[in-house]
């Protein structure tokens, strides 16, 4: 068993202890409200105790038969995760639909689309069609931003 | 009974519903042939579009996606050796070899007929079994519901993908996610970190879109440079008389297996197709043909996976416990549209329930027609480059999740759960247990609280309720069986490896 095999059980264990700690910080409900039932903190703590038992079993399983090593993902995967972060930044800072179009375009290119015009048209036409569908047919109002401020007036 | 038949028949007289089934079958088949998307992701992405529809129309859309995408996975399984959905994985074993022999049309014909028979059979079982089970469930009280939800959670141990312990950890995580927000009886805030957008807890749909669609997007990014080869075919052929003689017993057997597996909480079409295929091989007189293009193999897998769709609807509608990932979305659809899943659904809104069942039968017939006449066209859709397809899915995922309650928080939830789902899958944890745990979480906690109130805080009194005890025993069996099995297999493998070395 390698040290790296302990990363997953380790992360889950740390997570479980954090949840238990946070649960213990929760307010206690007055007995007249809770009655014969349980405090709101009890259930998450109970869950995390089960989790810790399961992590113990998982570690034993890994000890008995170590898991296969996981190959590192290609740059497209990590790039896509970064694009999700960029999407968050652009939505809060610029505009929801501009963010969608930019991220779509970058994702097309990142995933190997060599036809720039095709990628550009897909990333422009799709948000426009989706906007028309949701705005006109489903009557959804989208969050204001650079573009939607201009549209909504 | 007559009223039920009338309600089921009434769907034929609703032209909008027929049009909806037609359009959704096309969408479902497209979703099914696109590798990676699948019925669950498709249903999650389409759920926001159903908000403006009537409950029957909305659930029809979701269930049509379910049955048609489950079938359509076989198209790419046969033609390009890539199952469009995990449920079609067993179809590749014999479908692709048969296609390589130049009989792609025959393979697809057998797949579509077997799927239709399986699908219709399971809806008939659903129509008969669901009201009977509802009559029993009508007498359930909190202790029985608590034990039942524990049984549902225990079945996560035997979900096909991931190991049983990993699935249970996923399920526990899902249950914990359901505790985020204000606790319903006391109003005490849990894990909100001062964010009042989370006061009512996390919404089901963004969590599901994140877990299924967004995490799949990140998984698919690994395949960005893959090239697929297709096999050409002239036309889809209906099975010949000789074919029918060879496969009818297999289809019937798989119908039973698929429906039964589907009814088990948290099990689904993937498990059903694998068992259907294995049983087809076990009972076959031509075992040597399996893996080389056996039509019994295709029929066994396809009849079972579509039979599981109707079966999975039984616990979903009667008990509010999802039978699979897609039925978890249908369950959310039922709740969003004011149809409270559970036995009362069969007394208070029985006409709507039977209309949905009728629509499911129509959906099965619709994909038979489409499978026979348009499979060739649909197969071409699978060639859409993923570098264009998945950015489009991304746009639908974020806009769809926003549209549910016009809250950007839902979009952030999609992104967060997308990344969580991706890392979970990277380390061998399936996302379906997280989704099922999330759905059942509130039921477990609420019914445990109500049981404690019922018995003045004496939890052991739950064990005095016979039905609750039965479910708890089943839960222990469901929990321990696969775990012991898992450990034994690993130990055997380990011993084998050490003796070899």
């Amino acid at each position: 068993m390698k040290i790296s095999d302990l990363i997953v059980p380790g992360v889950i264990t740390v997570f479980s202890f954090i949840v238990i700690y946070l649960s213990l910080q929760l307010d206690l409900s007055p007995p007249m409200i809770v009655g014969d039932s349980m405090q709101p903190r009890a259930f998450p703590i109970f869950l995390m105790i089960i989790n810790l038992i399961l992590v113990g079993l998982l570690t034993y399983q890994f000890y008995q038969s170590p898991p296969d090593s996981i190959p590192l993902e290609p740059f497209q995967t990590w790039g896509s995760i970064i694009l999700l972060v960029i999407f968050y930044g652009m939505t809060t800072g610029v505009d929801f639909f501009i963010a969608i179009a930019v991220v779509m375009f970058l994702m097309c290119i990142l995933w190997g689309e060599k036809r720039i015009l095709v990628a550009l048209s897909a990333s422009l036409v799709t948000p426009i069609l989706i906007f028309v569908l949701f705005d006109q047919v489903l009557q959804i109002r989208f969050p204001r931003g650079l573009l939607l401020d201009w549209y909504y007036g | 009974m007559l009223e039920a038949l009338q309600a089921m028949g009434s769907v034929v007289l609703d032209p909008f519903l027929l049009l909806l089934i037609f359009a959704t079958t096309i969408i479902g088949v497209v979703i099914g042939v696109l590798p990676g998307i699948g019925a669950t992701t498709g249903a999650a992405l389409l759920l926001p579009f159903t908000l403006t529809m009537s409950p029957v129309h909305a659930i029809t859309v979701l269930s049509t996606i379910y049955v048609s995408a489950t079938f359509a996975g076989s198209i790419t399984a046969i033609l390009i050796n890539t199952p469009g959905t995990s449920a079609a994985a067993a179809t590749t074993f014999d479908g692709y070899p048969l296609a390589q022999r130049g009989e792609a049309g025959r393979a697809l014909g057998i797949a579509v007929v077997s799927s239709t028979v399986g699908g219709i059979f399971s809806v008939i079982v659903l129509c008969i079994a669901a009201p009977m089970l509802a009559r029993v469930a009508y007498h359930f009280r909190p202790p029985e519901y608590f034990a039942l939800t524990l049984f549902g959670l225990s079945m996560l141990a035997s979900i096909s993908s991931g190991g049983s312990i990993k699935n249970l950890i996923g399920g526990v995580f899902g249950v914990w996610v359901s505790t985020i927000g204000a606790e319903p009886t006391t109003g005490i805030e849990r894990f909100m970190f001062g964010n009042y957008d989370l006061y009512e807890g996390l919404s089901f749909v963004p969590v599901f879109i994140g877990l299924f669609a967004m995490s799949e997007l990140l998984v698919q990014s690994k395949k960005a440079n893959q090239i697929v080869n297709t096999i050409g075919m002239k036309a889809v052929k209906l099975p010949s008389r000789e074919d029918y003689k060879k496969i009818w017993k297999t289809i019937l057997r798989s119908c039973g297996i698929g429906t039964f597996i589907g009814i088990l909480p948290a099990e689904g079409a993937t498990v059903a197709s694998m068992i259907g295929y294995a049983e087809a091989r076990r009972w076959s007189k031509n075992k040597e043909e399996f893996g080389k293009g056996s039509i019994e193999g295709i029929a066994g897998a396809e009849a079972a996976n579509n039979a599981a769709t109707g079966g999975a609807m039984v616990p979903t509608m009667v008990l509010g416990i999802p039978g699979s990932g897609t039925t978890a979305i249908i369950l959310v659809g039922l709740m969003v549209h004011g149809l409270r899943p559970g036995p009362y659904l069969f007394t208070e809104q029985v006409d709507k329930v039977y209309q949905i069942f009728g629509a499911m039968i129509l959906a099965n017939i619709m994909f038979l027609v489409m499978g026979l006449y348009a499979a060739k066209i649909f197969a071409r859709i699978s060639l859409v480059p993923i570098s264009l397809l998945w950015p489009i899915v991304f746009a639908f995922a974020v806009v769809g999740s926003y549209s549910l309650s016009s809250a950007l928080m839902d979009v952030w939830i999609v992104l967060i759960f997308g990344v969580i789902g991706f890392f979970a899958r990277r380390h061998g944890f399936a996302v379906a247990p997280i989704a099922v745990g999330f759905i059942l979480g509130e039921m477990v906690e609420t019914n445990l609280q109500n049981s404690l109130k019922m018995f003045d805080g004496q939890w052991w009194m739950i064990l005095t309720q016979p039905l609750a005890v039965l479910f708890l025993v089943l839960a222990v069996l469901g929990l321990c069986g696969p775990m012991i099995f898992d450990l034994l297999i690993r130990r055997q493998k380990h011993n084998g490896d050490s003796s070899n070395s």
Side-chain angles (χ1 to χ4, degrees):
Chain A
M1 191 175 177
K2 292 173 285 180
I3 297 290
S4 58
D5 293 341
L6 290 172
I7 292 175
V8 173
V11 168
I12 300 169
T13 306
V14 170
F15 170 79
S16 303
F17 278 114
I18 291 173
V19 172
I20 290 172
Y21 172 76
L22 290 173
S23 304
L24 290 170
Q25 308 306 309
L26 293 176
D27 295 335
L28 284 171
S29 180
M32 62 181 290
I33 296 178
V34 177
D36 292 317
S37 189
M38 55 188 179
Q39 286 288 345
R41 61 165 62 168
F43 190 64
I45 292 174
F46 174 65
L47 287 175
M48 289 306 122
I49 290 170
I50 294 174
N51 224 8
L52 288 170
I53 295 169
L54 289 170
V55 170
L57 289 172
L58 187 70
T59 314
Y60 175 70
Q61 209 177 53
F62 283 179
Y63 173 72
Q64 288 287 312
S65 154
D68 299 330
S69 58
I70 303 161
L72 199 66
E73 273 70 14
F75 71 95
Q76 281 97 338
T77 307
W78 304 110
S80 302
I81 293 174
I82 293 168
L83 282 179
L84 299 185
V85 179
I86 292 174
F87 173 73
Y88 171 79
M90 284 192 73
T91 302
T92 48
V94 187
D95 185 275
F96 188 48
F97 277 93
I98 293 177
I100 292 174
V102 170
V103 168
M104 272 187 75
F105 177 72
L106 293 175
M107 203 177 275
C108 288
I109 302 297
L110 181 72
W111 286 35
E113 182 56 62
K114 290 188 177 75
R115 298 161 298 176
I116 303 285
L117 267 180
V118 173
L120 199 63
S121 348
S123 47
L124 285 177
V125 172
T126 311
I128 292 171
L129 286 180
I130 292 176
F131 179 75
V132 171
L133 178 69
F134 280 81
D135 185 66
Q136 299 296 315
V137 183
L138 303 174
Q139 306 278 310
I140 305 289
R141 272 186 84 83
F142 288 100
R144 283 176 173 274
L146 207 64
L147 205 62
L148 292 181
D149 263 348
W150 168 77
Y151 178 79
Y152 290 133
Chain B
M1 187 66 191
L2 198 66
E3 282 170 15
L5 286 173
Q6 268 179 346
M8 283 172 77
S10 70
V11 295
V12 186
L13 304 172
D14 183 345
F16 181 63
L17 188 70
L18 290 176
L19 189 69
L20 210 56
I21 294 174
F22 176 72
T24 319
T25 306
I26 294 176
I27 297 170
V29 176
V30 170
I31 284 169
V33 297
L34 292 171
I37 296 191
T40 314
T41 308
L45 289 172
L46 276 179
L47 185 56
F49 292 93
T50 67
L51 288 181
T52 52
M53 295 177 190
S54 72
V56 172
H57 289 168
I59 304 306
T60 299
V61 166
L62 298 176
S63 48
T64 305
I65 290 288
Y66 187 23
V67 296
S68 52
T70 304
F71 149 69
S74 67
I75 297 177
T76 48
I78 290 167
L79 295 179
I80 58 173
N81 203 23
T82 307
T85 58
S86 58
T91 312
T92 56
F93 303 158
D94 284 294
Y96 189 64
L98 198 60
Q100 280 181 313
R101 286 187 346 214
E103 293 184 86
R106 185 177 169 220
L108 274 170
I110 285 163
V112 73
V113 170
S114 311
S115 296
T116 308
V117 175
I120 293 176
F121 175 86
S122 70
V123 179
I124 293 168
V125 172
L126 172 67
C127 295
I128 299 165
M132 285 162 65
L133 188 60
R135 246 170 269 151
V136 178
Y138 196 73
H139 302 288
F140 284 6
R141 293 171 309 151
E144 283 82 15
Y145 267 115
F146 169 66
L148 184 66
T149 43
L150 279 191
F151 169 53
L153 285 171
S154 75
M155 292 305 284
L156 292 176
S158 54
I159 278 185
S160 56
S161 46
S164 52
I165 295 172
K166 285 183 175 177
N167 286 340
L168 289 172
I169 291 174
V172 171
F173 176 70
V175 176
W176 173 77
V177 172
S178 76
T179 66
I180 295 172
E183 202 269 340
T185 46
T186 58
I188 285 179
E189 297 159 13
R190 293 190 293 196
F191 317 112
M192 284 168 51
F193 306 105
N195 192 333
Y196 283 88
D197 285 334
L198 299 175
Y199 192 80
E200 288 178 14
L202 300 182
S203 308
F204 288 116
V205 182
V207 172
F208 280 24
I209 293 179
L211 284 177
F212 292 104
M214 202 55 82
S215 74
E216 185 64 40
L217 180 146
L218 295 172
V219 170
Q220 288 292 323
S221 66
K222 291 187 220 172
K223 301 172 187 166
N225 303 320
Q226 252 177 29
I227 296 163
V228 286
N229 296 315
T230 50
I231 283 177
M233 61 164 185
K234 285 170 189 157
V236 178
K237 280 194 287 187
L238 274 172
S240 64
R241 191 183 287 259
E242 282 69 37
D243 287 342
Y244 277 123
K245 272 186 192 166
K246 221 171 165 184
I247 61 173
W248 72 270
K249 279 184 190 165
T250 307
I251 292 179
L252 279 184
R253 195 181 307 113
S254 283
C255 283
I257 292 169
T259 309
F260 176 72
I261 301 280
I263 290 173
L264 295 176
E267 299 298 335
T270 311
V271 182
S273 67
M274 289 294 176
I275 297 178
Y277 180 83
E279 286 303 304
R281 188 175 185 280
R282 197 158 74 97
W283 291 90
S284 173
K285 288 174 188 161
N286 309 301
K287 286 189 181 70
E288 68 288 346
E289 281 180 20
F290 277 74
K292 295 171 191 161
S294 161
I295 57 169
E296 288 170 273
I298 301 170
E302 280 302 308
N305 69 24
N306 264 70
T309 58
M313 291 291 277
V314 176
T316 309
M317 298 189 88
V318 182
L319 306 168
I321 292 177
S324 66
T326 319
T327 49
I329 313 250
I330 295 175
L331 186 72
V332 174
L334 286 166
M335 293 192 276
V336 167
H337 286 92
L339 295 174
R340 191 163 57 114
Y344 292 97
L345 195 62
F346 289 80
T347 50
E348 290 164 5
Q349 288 165 314
V350 69
D351 53 329
K352 288 187 179 124
V353 171
Y354 281 101
Q355 281 176 336
I356 293 166
F357 292 170
M360 279 182 77
I361 291 182
L362 276 183
N364 277 289
I365 295 168
M366 198 73 85
F367 79 61
L368 170 72
V369 178
M370 276 190 203
L372 288 177
Y373 296 103
K376 201 176 169 182
I377 302 162
F378 286 121
R380 290 187 186 282
I381 295 167
S382 65
L383 300 176
V384 171
I386 65 167
S387 58
L388 288 177
L389 174 70
W390 283 93
I392 294 172
V393 171
F394 165 79
F396 273 98
V398 291
V399 177
S401 57
Y402 173 83
S403 66
L404 283 167
S405 48
S406 298
L408 273 175
M409 175 54 81
D410 287 344
V411 180
W412 312 146
I413 290 170
V414 169
L415 303 184
I416 292 166
F417 276 86
V419 176
I420 290 174
F422 166 71
F423 280 106
R425 291 168 73 167
R426 184 174 190 266
H427 292 281
F429 292 80
V431 289
I434 304 177
V436 174
F438 180 46
I439 282 209
L440 296 183
E442 199 188 330
M443 276 176 81
V444 176
E445 188 177 11
T446 311
N447 285 304
L448 176 61
Q449 285 174 335
N450 291 342
S451 303
L452 289 173
K453 280 179 193 161
M454 220 173 114
F455 298 124
D456 301 324
Q458 298 167 313
W459 62 266
W460 57 92
M461 291 294 285
I462 294 173
L463 301 175
T464 61
Q465 308 301 305
L467 264 177
V469 172
L470 173 71
F471 288 131
L472 288 175
V473 170
L474 288 174
V476 172
L477 288 176
L479 203 65
C480 297
M483 278 166 76
I484 294 168
F485 196 63
D486 236 29
L487 283 173
L488 284 175
I489 285 178
R490 277 170 184 271
R491 180 164 286 188
Q492 214 169 18
K493 196 179 149 195
H494 180 71
N495 290 345
D497 286 349
S498 49
S499 63
N500 282 344
S501 64

